[in-house]
Amino acid sequence: MTFLNWLPEIIILIQIFLSIGLLCFRPTTHLSLCPAFSLLTFSTLAYFGIRSDLSHFESPYKLLSSDALSTFGKLFSMLVVSMSGLYIHFHKEMSFYSKQKAMLFVLFAGLFIIGIFSAQSLVLFVLSWFGIYQALTRFILIETKKSSSWINSFSQGSLSLLLLMVGFSLLFFIAVFTSNSIYFSDFIEWSKNAQGLPILCAGFLVCLVSGLMLFGFNLSGDSAFGVSLHALFVFVSVGVFLFRLGIPLMNESGLFLKVYEQNMIGAIIVAFTLKHSINAVRTNQHFIWLSSVLYASAGLGLFSVLLGAEQSLPLFYLLALSFLFTFTFVGQSFLETKFSNKFNILFGMVAILGMPPLILGEQYFQLFHHLMDNGLIVIAFGFGTGWFLLSFASLQMLGRVILVKNGIATYRKTSVGEITLLLVYFTGVIALTALKPVLISLLNDRPIPYLW
């Protein structure tokens, strides 16, 4: 049982070592190994999902403890790896050797995703966050063939990275000196009776770190698939940080009234969402529009952390899966900038808005409804404004794509990859809709404590 509980990590590690070993030799075939890795990971995902008892392994050590969030992280990580492997295989702009290297960094990102979801201490969370960020930056450099604009962009982002690490370090020192422990649970237990400057500084640092994670690492450039993965990473990392530490610390310490604490976190999310929604409306460049829409959508999903535990966690799980299916599909569709085949692009723009009957539409409606029921009227208004601006920006881009005239010389037939990925998207949406009750009941068996 102990071995099977670590099955997702073991499978990903085996693939990492296998991928590193294969990269040391000259390829003898032009058949990409990405689909093989994707199939192996998906098979592990199916087995791990069916054997629900594997997630209930009890350990006397806190690092081995398992709850709904860590269980979902393992499932989500394997799904990210399996879908990314398939999308990399059909990537038109990457060579065979580049696909092999890109798959290696996706495997590293998948391993660190498990670390983020399973982290019971700030040290493991920071290491996992940094690992995913580095893996995705390497992926983008491979996808863009080490574009100088991206190298300059990452160099300019080093200041944001430094500030975030300083914020994490200060929060870590406060946790260690006050609770004498590196674990989230001990820090939260200390906060229940804490008073004065230490708890005020901890609350301030939680808001500061959340803001830096949102505003400091927004990528924009000609790397459609890499940016879509990064927007998904922003949504997941900020959500897990708030679930693990931010919300429990503020809720248990009673720094302010509950509604004020929700509005403080909500104001950061509203500002992030509106910033990118407005950018999407104002731009004419497709790659700036794409990155703005992706980050604005991630911001809309983060409103789920403001709800009660019974509402926020199921919505977060469903939105994470919905974003995975939608972001990757949209990113793959926008790899081609000439718009000589418009169907996938137009369908992707409709899907990211959540137009019925697509999966995001139901989640956005439920999220807005719950915000209103919880009395967060101002936050709900910010959510509605962000979605309206996002819709307006998407309608603008829809018109531009439709009006692009393709001559006979630029017209091409639909490729096998485009049809396959469209079918994968539909299959994912149908499966998520059908298995939603089973997924929620499985993950609700071991809920996260100390939420709103």
Side-chain angles (χ1 to χ4, degrees):
M1 186 62 73
T2 303
F3 171 79
L4 293 177
N5 183 70
W6 295 94
L7 186 60
E9 294 91 330
I10 293 171
I11 290 296
I12 292 178
L13 278 172
I14 290 174
Q15 293 179 90
I16 287 175
F17 286 118
L18 181 61
S19 182
I20 292 174
L22 292 174
L23 285 172
C24 296
F25 300 94
R26 183 183 298 275
T28 57
T29 176
H30 292 289
L31 296 176
S32 173
L33 291 175
C34 296
F37 288 151
S38 177
L39 181 61
L40 176 60
T41 307
F42 187 78
S43 301
T44 307
L45 167 66
Y47 176 75
F48 192 80
I50 293 172
R51 289 287 303 274
S52 59
D53 57 310
L54 301 184
S55 64
H56 294 273
F57 169 66
E58 294 288 350
S59 169
Y61 302 103
K62 292 184 179 180
L63 281 175
L64 300 182
S65 64
S66 177
D67 56 18
L69 201 58
S70 60
T71 303
F72 175 77
K74 294 182 179 184
L75 300 172
F76 182 73
S77 173
M78 289 187 288
L79 193 57
V80 169
V81 171
S82 58
M83 289 194 64
S84 297
L86 190 62
Y87 278 89
I88 291 172
H89 176 69
F90 289 111
H91 200 298
K92 303 183 184 70
E93 306 298 327
M94 295 172 65
S95 65
F96 168 78
Y97 188 66
S98 296
K99 290 179 180 180
Q100 304 297 89
K101 291 193 296 183
M103 190 65 207
L104 173 62
F105 287 109
V106 167
L107 288 167
F108 274 118
L111 188 63
F112 288 123
I113 286 174
I114 296 178
I116 269 194
F117 277 93
S118 303
Q120 302 294 330
S121 70
L122 193 59
V123 175
L124 180 56
F125 179 86
V126 173
L127 290 176
S128 300
W129 183 94
F130 185 74
I132 299 175
Y133 176 72
Q134 291 297 320
L136 292 183
T137 55
R138 299 301 185 275
F139 180 92
I140 290 174
L141 290 176
I142 293 172
E143 185 181 22
T144 59
K145 301 175 182 177
K146 296 183 178 180
S147 169
S148 58
S149 61
W150 276 110
I151 294 175
N152 293 333
S153 176
F154 294 141
S155 300
Q156 294 170 2
S158 58
L159 178 60
S160 298
L161 184 60
L162 177 62
L163 291 176
L164 181 60
M165 290 305 162
V166 170
F168 275 131
S169 300
L170 292 174
L171 195 56
F172 172 76
F173 286 130
I174 290 178
V176 171
F177 285 119
T178 55
S179 63
N180 296 318
S181 173
I182 65 172
Y183 295 108
F184 290 142
S185 57
D186 293 326
F187 191 31
I188 295 165
E189 287 296 326
W190 164 82
S191 69
K192 291 180 179 180
N193 301 315
Q195 294 179 353
L197 187 61
I199 190 62
L200 287 174
C201 291
F204 170 76
L205 284 173
V206 164
C207 294
L208 177 63
V209 168
S210 302
L212 286 172
M213 292 171 68
L214 279 173
F215 289 95
F217 301 93
N218 306 149
L219 306 181
S220 179
D222 197 6
S223 175
F225 192 70
V227 171
S228 66
L229 289 179
H230 189 269
L232 182 67
F233 158 61
V234 168
F235 168 74
V236 166
S237 61
V238 176
V240 172
F241 175 76
L242 291 174
F243 281 135
R244 286 292 188 202
L245 181 62
I247 295 173
L249 184 70
M250 301 184 74
N251 192 32
E252 294 299 316
S253 64
L255 278 172
F256 306 99
L257 293 177
K258 174 183 172 182
V259 66
Y260 292 153
E261 294 172 342
Q262 289 174 311
N263 281 309
M264 286 171 58
I265 298 175
I268 299 173
I269 300 173
V270 167
F272 174 79
T273 304
L274 292 182
K275 172 194 171 185
H276 288 288
S277 297
I278 293 171
N279 287 343
V281 172
R282 297 176 60 184
T283 186
N284 291 320
Q285 296 178 306
H286 78 277
F287 61 85
I288 297 178
W289 176 90
L290 177 62
S291 60
S292 298
V293 167
L294 290 172
Y295 288 121
S297 299
L300 291 177
L302 284 173
F303 283 95
S304 60
V305 304
L306 304 176
L307 305 175
E310 295 181 356
Q311 300 166 342
S312 61
L313 286 174
L315 269 175
F316 179 79
Y317 299 144
L318 295 174
L319 282 167
L321 295 174
S322 302
F323 285 156
L324 172 60
F325 295 135
T326 307
F327 285 7
T328 51
F329 179 78
V330 173
Q332 181 74 20
S333 300
F334 270 84
L335 289 176
E336 185 177 7
T337 59
K338 296 179 181 179
F339 305 143
S340 59
N341 193 343
K342 301 177 182 179
F343 180 79
N344 279 21
I345 296 174
L346 296 176
F347 182 80
M349 284 190 283
V350 174
I352 204 168
L353 288 179
M355 301 299 288
L358 302 178
I359 191 66
L360 280 177
E362 180 189 357
Q363 310 311 320
Y364 284 157
F365 173 79
Q366 293 293 336
L367 184 50
F368 182 80
H369 178 70
H370 290 318
L371 288 172
M372 296 292 291
D373 288 345
N374 282 266
L376 301 172
I377 307 300
V378 177
I379 301 300
F381 178 77
F383 174 88
T385 304
W387 186 85
F388 175 78
L389 292 174
L390 196 62
S391 303
F392 184 72
S394 298
L395 290 175
Q396 283 184 317
M397 184 57 69
L398 277 169
R400 294 191 187 103
V401 174
I402 291 173
L403 292 175
V404 171
K405 294 182 178 180
N406 297 326
I408 298 177
T410 60
Y411 177 77
R412 65 169 180 78
K413 295 181 179 179
T414 303
S415 65
V416 175
E418 289 171 330
I419 297 175
T420 303
L421 297 178
L422 186 63
L423 292 175
V424 167
Y425 173 80
F426 277 118
T427 303
V429 170
I430 293 171
L432 181 57
T433 304
L435 299 176
K436 180 171 63 174
V438 178
L439 176 67
I440 297 303
S441 63
L442 169 66
L443 296 172
N444 279 346
D445 287 342
R446 308 192 68 180
I448 306 173
Y450 306 122
L451 296 183
W452 303 119

